[in-house]
Amino acid sequence: MEIAYSLSIALQSHQPLITAIIITLLSLLAVRSFFKRPHHKSNVTGTASSSAKKQAREARPSSSCNHTSNSAALLNGGAAGPAEEDMVMADVSKVVAEMQSGASMMEQLVPEITTHALSYLDYPSLCRLSMTNSLMRKAANDDNAWKALYHKDFTLEQDTVTPVNGWKAYYAATRAIMNVNTEFFNIIKDRSLLVMSRFWLNADYVKCIHASGVLFSGYNAVIQSWQHAFNWEQGVDFQVRDVQARVLTNMAWVTMKTYVDMDNGAFNMTNIFELHHGRWYLVDHHSSEMLADGDIGQQIVH
């Protein structure tokens, strides 16, 4: 157990090197399997038994101390004996079986081992691996590999979720909404009202609650609230922590903790997005100051 634990720690500390080694090994396995795989194997199984006997007749053993009489018979145009013919047929059948079993080493691995090996790869590495060849694409598109990557990069909270289009599509959708959420904080930092106005969905049901606690409802009121915020405040570079996302077909929400600095100005934030015409739009933003432990107790009492 101690050895396994030490090995686990060592693997985590050398993850970039392990990633490069895994990609190299998988690529070498794919190349090896390509050259090993027979390119013309139609009707091999059907003709193996019928051709084995023919090849056995054609394969004439060289003279041997143990087969002097048989060798003489072959030289004189005679037929091989039953024992000799069976031995040659066994050799031919073995060769045919090896040709048929030209499957790659990658395909022979236990699926759990393949998934565990791929779990050390990050998102770009897994995508690059899928572009190597058809075998690597099949391995890199394995649903379990993308589920493991999702839990590593995002959250373990959604272990019971069963994505309709598989974990690879769900990973891509979650990554996209995370990028959109990051863009929201870049707009605040740049204080760009024009970009913020395009970021929100132009609808009468959108809502925004700033840290002041004031509710703004409707597109025009929401954008005006951001105009006032940008006019009175300097650009804020939030430090975003504990980001959690949940993505549905046409809706997604993101929760997070944000800090103006790590000692003061801590907020809980929630952003809700809707997908329209292939683009995510913000429809609800809620920001509230993070309460201290003592304040939380008072809120529960009252």
Side-chain angles (χ1 to χ4, degrees):
M1 293 297 293
E2 294 180 357
I3 295 176
Y5 177 76
S6 301
L7 181 59
S8 176
I9 297 299
L11 289 175
Q12 294 177 4
S13 61
H14 296 83
Q15 185 166 344
L17 177 61
I18 293 174
T19 298
I21 293 174
I22 290 174
I23 294 178
T24 303
L25 290 176
L26 294 179
S27 301
L28 290 175
L29 289 176
V31 173
R32 181 181 184 276
S33 65
F34 175 80
F35 287 106
K36 184 178 179 182
R37 188 187 301 270
H39 298 282
H40 301 285
K41 57 180 181 179
S42 59
N43 297 327
V44 172
T45 56
T47 60
S49 58
S50 61
S51 63
K53 188 173 183 179
K54 180 179 179 182
Q55 294 180 45
R57 294 194 188 99
E58 295 176 353
R60 305 303 188 196
S62 58
S63 59
S64 171
C65 297
N66 299 326
H67 301 285
T68 305
S69 59
N70 289 335
S71 299
L74 291 172
L75 289 173
N76 292 326
E84 188 174 19
E85 189 177 68
D86 291 342
M87 186 168 61
V88 175
M89 286 180 61
D91 292 339
V92 173
S93 300
K94 182 179 179 181
V95 172
V96 173
E98 289 179 354
M99 292 176 62
Q100 291 175 336
S101 62
S104 69
M105 294 177 65
M106 187 71 181
E107 292 173 325
Q108 296 173 15
L109 289 176
V110 179
E112 289 77 7
I113 297 178
T114 303
T115 301
H116 181 72
L118 295 179
S119 68
Y120 287 98
L121 302 182
D122 56 10
Y123 173 73
S125 299
L126 201 57
C127 291
R128 285 196 293 267
L129 181 65
S130 68
M131 295 185 289
T132 306
N133 55 40
S134 59
L135 177 62
M136 292 297 100
R137 180 166 61 252
K138 180 181 178 180
N141 287 337
D142 181 73
D143 208 44
N144 291 324
W146 285 97
K147 180 179 180 180
L149 183 62
Y150 179 91
H151 289 161
K152 182 174 68 173
D153 288 355
F154 299 125
T155 177
L156 290 172
E157 290 182 350
Q158 300 179 37
D159 185 59
T160 58
V161 172
T162 304
V164 177
N165 297 318
W167 280 99
K168 182 178 181 180
Y170 192 64
Y171 182 98
T174 304
R175 190 177 182 88
I177 204 65
M178 289 290 200
N179 292 337
V180 172
N181 192 69
T182 300
E183 184 181 351
F184 171 75
F185 290 98
N186 292 335
I187 296 173
I188 296 176
K189 181 180 178 180
D190 297 337
R191 293 193 300 170
S192 176
L193 184 64
L194 178 61
V195 180
M196 182 64 82
S197 63
R198 296 171 180 172
F199 193 77
W200 282 81
L201 180 68
N202 192 343
D204 56 0
Y205 60 83
V206 299
K207 291 178 171 54
C208 179
I209 301 178
H210 292 281
S212 61
V214 179
L215 169 65
F216 297 90
S217 183
Y219 177 79
N220 292 331
V222 168
I223 299 305
Q224 288 178 2
S225 72
W226 285 108
Q227 182 178 14
H228 291 308
F230 291 160
N231 288 338
W232 286 98
E233 298 177 6
Q234 296 180 350
V236 179
D237 186 9
F238 283 103
Q239 301 296 317
V240 184
R241 299 288 185 271
D242 299 334
V243 183
Q244 305 288 338
R246 177 76 170 100
V247 184
L248 303 181
T249 304
N250 296 314
M251 178 179 290
W253 58 89
V254 184
T255 61
M256 69 224 83
K257 296 177 181 178
T258 61
Y259 303 84
V260 177
D261 57 66
M262 299 308 294
D263 297 325
N264 301 297
F267 301 92
N268 286 313
M269 289 190 182
T270 301
N271 285 336
I272 302 178
F273 299 88
E274 286 185 0
L275 185 66
H276 293 272
H277 308 292
R279 179 182 171 185
W280 290 104
Y281 290 90
L282 187 61
V283 296
D284 190 290
H285 169 74
H286 190 169
S287 176
S288 59
E289 188 173 359
M290 203 178 299
L291 299 176
D293 294 339
D295 296 333
I296 294 176
Q298 293 178 4
Q299 291 285 341
I300 294 175
V301 170
H302 296 291

